[in-house]
């Protein structure tokens, strides 16, 4: 189980938080990039500031309408993952290939209200599926318990078909809800981790994952 920490809900002292995060055991910095169109929130400048302090592998979550410019913007950072939303609708396969052509793992994200059918055609091609346990757009939302079954379904599909994607879950994950996502490979958490002792809370999520 790996941990990706989101700094979306960090409103002030971002530099301080990033310094503590760099010294922590988080496996990734989860960068929540929002364009104010795909979701009403706009976080590009906040995320660009976070990147200036960052020393961890990057897990970039694009919540944007026009994906291509953001792939081009971030590819030079050589992130571990670039993930965009299947709901963006446009030429998914070519965007996935573009990310992979840069040697970056390509992910597809889906909101809780989006049917799994929408991602089926791409499961053989992706390196990561990002299962949203809250609607994309804001931190601090409540975990959607339907997520647990989605993760199980995606695990079953992976073993039945020999797919290779990792399963990441994102939204409302804390000491209470982590036990419901034990089958995920990567857990994203923001509000819970950054609003306490970062290392202790990361360890708590890892333990919860092992419980
Ligand atoms: C929401 C983001 C999530 C969110 C997670 O659109 O994709 O990464 O920041 O934050 P918490 O853990 O606060 O729900
Ligand atoms: Zn996210």
């Amino acid at each position: 189980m790996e941990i990706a920490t989101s700094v979306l809900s960090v409103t002030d002292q971002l530099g301080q938080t990033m310094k503590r995060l760099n010294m922590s055991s988080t496996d990734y910095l989860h960068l929540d990039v929002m364009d104010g169109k795909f979701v009403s929130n706009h976080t590009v400048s906040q995320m660009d500031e976070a990147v200036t302090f960052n020393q961890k592998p990057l897990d970039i979550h694009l919540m944007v309408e026009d994906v291509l410019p953001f792939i081009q913007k971030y590819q030079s950072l050589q992130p571990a993952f670039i993930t965009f939303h299947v709901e963006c609708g446009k030429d998914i396969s070519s965007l996935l290939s573009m990310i992979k052509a840069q040697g970056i793992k390509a992910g597809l994200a889906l909101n809780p209200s989006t049917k799994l059918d929408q991602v089926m055609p791409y499961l053989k091609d992706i390196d990561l599926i990002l299962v949203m346990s809250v609607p994309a757009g804001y931190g601090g939302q409540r975990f959607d318990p339907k997520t647990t079954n989605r993760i199980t379904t995606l695990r079953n599909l992976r073993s039945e078909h020999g797919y290779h994607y990792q399963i990441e879950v994102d939204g409302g994950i804390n000491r209470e809800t982590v036990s419901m996502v034990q089958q995920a490979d990567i857990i994203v958490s923001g509000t819970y981790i950054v609003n306490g002792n970062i290392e202790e809370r990361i360890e708590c999520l890892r333990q919860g994952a092992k419980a």
Side-chain angles (χ1 to χ4, degrees), residues 93-120:
S93 294
S94 55
L95 288 167
L96 291 170
S97 316
M98 219 166 284
I99 295 167
K100 292 197 284 189
Q102 300 293 327
I104 300 166
K105 290 182 189 160
L108 264 187
L110 72 163
N111 277 322
S113 57
T114 301
K115 292 205 178 327
L116 275 182
D117 298 358
Q118 283 212 24
V119 295
M120 289 302 183

Side-chain angles (χ1 to χ4, degrees), residues 33-198:
V33 180
M34 303 177 191
D35 63 357
K37 290 185 254 175
F38 182 76
V39 292
S40 52
N41 205 352
H42 196 293
T43 65
V44 176
S45 45
Q46 179 194 356
M47 293 303 124
D48 286 353
E49 187 192 351
V51 165
T52 62
F53 295 97
N54 182 51
Q55 294 167 5
K56 290 288 184 178
L58 274 175
D59 169 34
I60 299 181
H61 177 193
L62 298 179
M63 289 158 273
V64 301
E65 222 168 61
D66 195 2
V67 177
L68 182 57
F70 286 93
I71 295 173
Q72 291 162 338
K73 171 180 170 71
Y74 291 115
Q75 63 193 22
S76 56
L77 296 175
Q78 277 302 311
F81 299 98
I82 295 182
T83 299
F84 60 94
H85 273 257
V86 69
E87 298 92 349
C88 83
K90 311 183 190 90
D91 42 82
I92 306 276
S93 294
S94 55
L95 288 167
L96 291 170
S97 316
M98 219 166 284
I99 295 167
K100 292 197 284 189
Q102 300 293 327
I104 300 166
K105 290 182 189 160
L108 264 187
L110 72 163
N111 277 322
S113 57
T114 301
K115 292 205 178 327
L116 275 182
D117 298 358
Q118 283 212 24
V119 295
M120 289 302 183
Y122 312 105
L123 292 182
K124 64 188 181 310
D125 304 321
I126 56 176
D127 302 304
L128 179 83
I129 180 110
L130 174 50
V131 181
M132 294 302 295
S133 30
V134 299
Y138 292 91
Q141 299 179 75
R142 178 178 292 284
F143 175 85
D144 181 338
K146 284 199 308 296
T147 308
T148 305
N149 289 342
R150 292 199 130 188
I151 294 171
T152 307
T153 305
L154 284 161
R155 274 179 76 94
N156 294 342
L157 283 168
R158 180 171 65 185
S159 44
E160 275 157 39
H161 299 274
Y163 296 143
H164 70 278
Y165 54 78
Q166 289 180 274
I167 300 169
E168 184 175 42
V169 59
D170 182 7
I173 296 176
N174 53 42
R175 63 179 308 124
E176 284 74 42
T177 57
V178 66
S179 60
M180 298 169 78
V181 293
Q182 292 184 35
Q183 292 201 324
D185 303 304
I186 307 174
I187 282 183
V188 179
S189 180
T191 306
Y192 173 65
I193 291 178
V194 299
N195 285 331
N197 178 304
I198 288 182

